[in-house]
Amino acid sequence: MPSTMEQCLSQTLAATFEELALTCADFNLSDTQRAAPVDVAMAVSFSGPLNGWLVLKATSHILPAIAENMLGSDIVDDPSVERDALGELANVICGNLLPLIGGAQAVFVLSAPQAFDNADQTSRYSPSARTCVGIESGRAVAQLLLSDDSRRALGLPVAEPIAALA
Amino acid sequence: MAFNVLVVDDSAVMRTMVVRTLKMSGIPLATVHEAANGEDGLRLLGEEWIDLVLLDVNMPVMNGEEMLQRMRASPATRDIRVIVVSTEGSETRLAALRQIGASIVHKPFAPTTLRNTILRVTGVSDAEYYGAVPVADAGGDF
C-alpha cells in the first residue's frame, strides 16, 4: 500500500486511466507531453470524515481517444460526452482514493462530477496532493484539495499548502 | 430465459459502459432499462418486469443504498437480484449492502468480472448454451 497521500493519488490515477480508459499512464513525461496544456477540468467534491475536492485536468485533445476507449467509437465525437468521460474518471479516482487516505471503514458522500472552470469553487480548500501522468500526446493532472479540518485530522500543516495546480 | 435488466447510475457514461459490457458478455438479455437515480429506478421497477438490477451507490436524489433498502421492504421487489457496481470502498457501507443481499462489483471492473458476477447471481451456469461470445481480454478493463 502506498505510504503517502501523493503516492496514493499517483497509484489511483494511473490505475484508473489504465483500467477504465484503457490507456497507458506514464510518469516519465516526454517533452511533448510536458508542454501540452491542461485545458479542460472536471471535479468531484466529497464529504464525510474528510472534506474536499478531487480535481482532474487534462489536455483536451486526448479526450476523444479516452472517450472512444470507454464508450466505443460509435457513440462519441461529442465534446460534452468527452467531458463526461473525464468526469467519470475523476469520480472513480476519488472513490478509490478516499479509502486509502481516510480508512477502509470511513463512509464518504461524493458529488456528481462537475466542470471545474472557476477556482472560487474550491477556494476554501488547500491543495494537499498533486500528480501528473503523460497520456497519449498530452497529460492529465490530478489534485486533491482538503479542508483545513481534514488536513488537521491527517496531521498535515494548515498554513503551508503545496504549490497550486499547474 | 432472457433477462430484463435495470442499470441505475447517475453517470450516462458509466451506464453506457455497463450496458456495453452486458451486451458483449453473452448473458441472454431481453430489455435493458436505464435510470439516473434511485427514485427513477424504483419507478421503473413499478412499471416493468425486472430480473436484475445493476446499481450505483453515490447518486443524487436517492442513492443506491436507499433504493436497495426500499426494494427489500416491498414484497413486489424484495427478491429481485441486485449487483452494486460502484467505486464505493467503505467496508462499513459494503457490509451493509451485502447484509441486504447485494453482490458487489468494484469500479473499475473487467468485463469478465461483471459477467461472472451476473452468471453467479442469476444462476445461469451454461452460458455457452445461450450463445455466449468471448469476452474481451482482461486488458479491456472497464
Side-chain angles (χ1 to χ4, degrees):
Chain A
M1 181 175 165
S3 58
T4 70
M5 203 148 50
E6 199 138 305
Q7 286 173 332
C8 292
L9 182 60
S10 296
Q11 174 186 289
T12 308
L13 174 70
T16 301
F17 267 93
E18 290 176 1
E19 295 175 18
L20 197 67
L22 312 181
T23 188
C24 185
D26 194 345
F27 287 100
N28 297 311
L29 277 67
S30 67
D31 290 343
T32 301
Q33 290 171 327
R34 202 172 291 115
V38 282
D39 49 358
V40 58
M42 297 293 289
V44 175
S45 69
F46 55 89
S47 58
L50 303 172
N51 298 288
W53 290 77
L54 187 289
V55 180
L56 180 61
K57 293 188 173 186
T59 307
S60 56
H61 71 243
I62 68 173
L63 294 187
I66 288 171
E68 183 174 329
N69 286 352
M70 293 171 71
L71 299 170
S73 58
D74 53 335
I75 295 174
V76 291
D77 199 20
D78 177 339
S80 68
V81 172
E82 292 164 6
R83 280 194 297 274
D84 286 348
L86 184 67
E88 192 54 33
L89 288 164
N91 183 49
V92 172
I93 291 167
C94 190
N96 283 279
L97 175 67
L98 290 174
L100 295 178
I101 62 172
Q105 303 301 324
V107 177
F108 291 96
V109 176
L110 277 62
S111 75
Q114 56 190 275
F116 181 78
D117 48 17
N118 184 345
D120 290 344
Q121 287 172 271
T122 59
S123 59
R124 294 186 300 112
Y125 300 85
S126 301
S128 300
R130 177 186 181 278
T131 192
C132 179
V133 291
I135 304 285
E136 307 251 335
S137 59
R139 62 191 171 118
V141 179
Q143 187 175 37
L144 176 70
L145 301 106
L146 293 172
S147 68
D148 286 352
D149 285 347
S150 301
R151 288 180 61 85
R152 285 189 196 95
L154 293 169
L156 298 171
V158 170
E160 297 177 351
I162 65 170
L165 181 63
Chain B
M1 173 189 172
F3 292 96
N4 291 306
V5 180
L6 172 60
V7 179
V8 188
D9 196 310
D10 60 321
S11 164
V13 167
M14 189 52 72
R15 289 199 307 272
T16 301
M17 294 177 72
V18 169
V19 171
R20 187 175 171 219
T21 304
L22 275 172
K23 289 178 176 172
M24 63 194 273
S25 71
I27 306 293
L29 296 173
T31 304
V32 179
H33 301 274
E34 297 183 34
N37 58 64
E39 192 172 280
D40 284 349
L42 287 174
R43 182 181 52 74
L44 271 167
L45 285 174
E47 297 171 354
E48 307 286 345
W49 179 267
I50 302 292
D51 303 295
L52 174 67
V53 177
L54 302 180
L55 180 62
D56 187 23
V57 174
N58 271 297
M59 293 182 289
V61 184
M62 182 188 293
N63 68 30
E65 189 173 8
E66 182 176 350
M67 178 182 167
L68 182 53
Q69 287 168 342
R70 293 195 184 200
M71 284 177 64
R72 295 307 187 226
S74 166
T77 57
R78 67 183 172 204
D79 294 325
I80 294 176
R81 289 158 286 200
V82 175
I83 299 173
V84 167
V85 183
S86 174
T87 61
E88 183 61 57
S90 164
E91 286 300 330
T92 304
R93 188 175 249 173
L94 292 175
L97 292 165
R98 289 192 186 98
Q99 183 86 28
I100 46 178
S103 296
I104 311 290
V105 170
H106 193 76
K107 294 178 190 171
F109 57 84
T112 48
T113 302
L114 183 59
R115 175 177 180 252
N116 291 342
T117 305
I118 292 172
L119 290 176
R120 178 175 55 76
V121 167
T122 58
V124 175
S125 57
D126 190 359
E128 191 175 346
Y129 173 81
Y130 292 106
V133 295
V135 173
D137 184 73
D141 286 0
F142 287 158

